[in-house]
Amino acid sequence: MKFMKCAVATTTVPSLFELCKGVLISNLHLLGDCGDVPVDFLAQILPYANPKQLARIEDETGRDLQTNNMWKGFCLAEKFWEEKPECPEGMEPSFRDMYTKCMIEREKRLEAAAAAMRAKYSQAKEARGKKQACQIAPRRDPGRKRTPAGKVEVSSKRTSNLMQQSIKDFKNRKFKRR
């Protein structure tokens, strides 16, 4: 008799710590005051936060969560490395302050650029309106009528002065046909 080889999957049951960590990471947008949660535990969760979430958590917790390296990473990701954070002598620079300052400056520049673009667009729109030709409806001559065949008939009631003069000269002509 032949024996079949069976693949046995070995799985480990996640610990309560790992389950809590997964729930916190998936609900970072709801995380606020961390109270007395150990900083070592938060250090495993906070790298998954975006800048807005991290700032809100820091503000609501009210204690040092040692996130300066995370803020430095955000500054590098946003390409703010040209600037150096300002700090007094003997203190570590605050990359969070630098990040917020650079983001405010960026928003101001973007708003100024958007305002300039809106102004140029409105100027171009006005210039386009001036160059645009307006269509005038053709004036219909009430003395001319179209027949169903498409021919134009001129009514005898209305004739121009030049035409009347031509008819008068034709009738009073001084030469005769031979």
Side-chain angles (χ1 to χ4, degrees):
M1 213 175 173
K2 291 184 179 179
F3 292 101
M4 294 176 57
K5 293 183 180 178
C6 294
V8 177
T10 57
T11 59
T12 59
V13 176
S15 67
L16 182 59
F17 179 79
E18 292 295 322
L19 288 172
C20 291
K21 185 173 124 179
V23 168
L24 284 173
I25 289 171
S26 62
N27 293 310
L28 267 172
H29 63 282
L30 300 173
L31 191 60
D33 183 15
C34 295
D36 293 330
V37 177
V39 176
D40 297 337
F41 182 67
L42 288 175
Q44 297 176 11
I45 297 167
L46 293 179
Y48 294 97
N50 63 31
K52 287 182 181 179
Q53 293 169 342
L54 186 60
R56 190 188 70 245
I57 292 168
E58 283 182 341
D59 291 339
E60 290 182 10
T61 301
R63 64 184 172 123
D64 184 25
L65 298 178
Q66 301 167 355
T67 57
N68 204 28
N69 284 336
M70 288 181 227
W71 286 109
K72 185 177 182 180
F74 291 137
C75 288
L76 291 175
E78 293 289 337
K79 299 179 181 172
F80 294 146
W81 61 77
E82 293 92 15
E83 303 206 18
K84 301 217 175 190
E86 300 170 4
C87 64
E89 289 294 321
M91 292 188 72
E92 188 176 336
S94 173
F95 283 98
R96 178 182 177 182
D97 295 337
M98 184 181 95
Y99 180 84
T100 55
K101 183 181 106 182
C102 290
M103 286 303 286
I104 289 170
E105 288 175 4
R106 177 185 281 178
E107 289 296 322
K108 286 180 183 176
R109 284 194 311 266
L110 285 174
E111 186 60 37
M117 287 177 67
R118 279 191 293 270
K120 285 196 181 254
Y121 179 74
S122 65
Q123 288 174 356
K125 192 173 181 180
E126 289 173 8
R128 229 180 303 131
K130 291 176 184 175
K131 290 179 185 176
Q132 205 171 34
C134 60
Q135 184 178 4
I136 300 172
R139 203 176 98 193
R140 300 211 54 198
D141 189 8
R144 301 179 84 188
K145 296 180 183 176
R146 289 204 175 259
T147 61
K151 295 181 181 177
V152 177
E153 291 181 357
V154 179
S155 66
S156 60
K157 295 179 184 177
R158 216 185 123 174
T159 54
S160 68
N161 291 337
L162 183 62
M163 187 66 170
Q164 288 175 356
Q165 184 68 33
S166 298
I167 293 171
K168 185 178 173 186
D169 290 343
F170 180 73
K171 291 181 179 176
N172 297 330
R173 64 183 169 200
K174 298 190 178 180
F175 62 93
K176 298 222 177 191
R177 284 192 190 179
R178 297 188 201 181

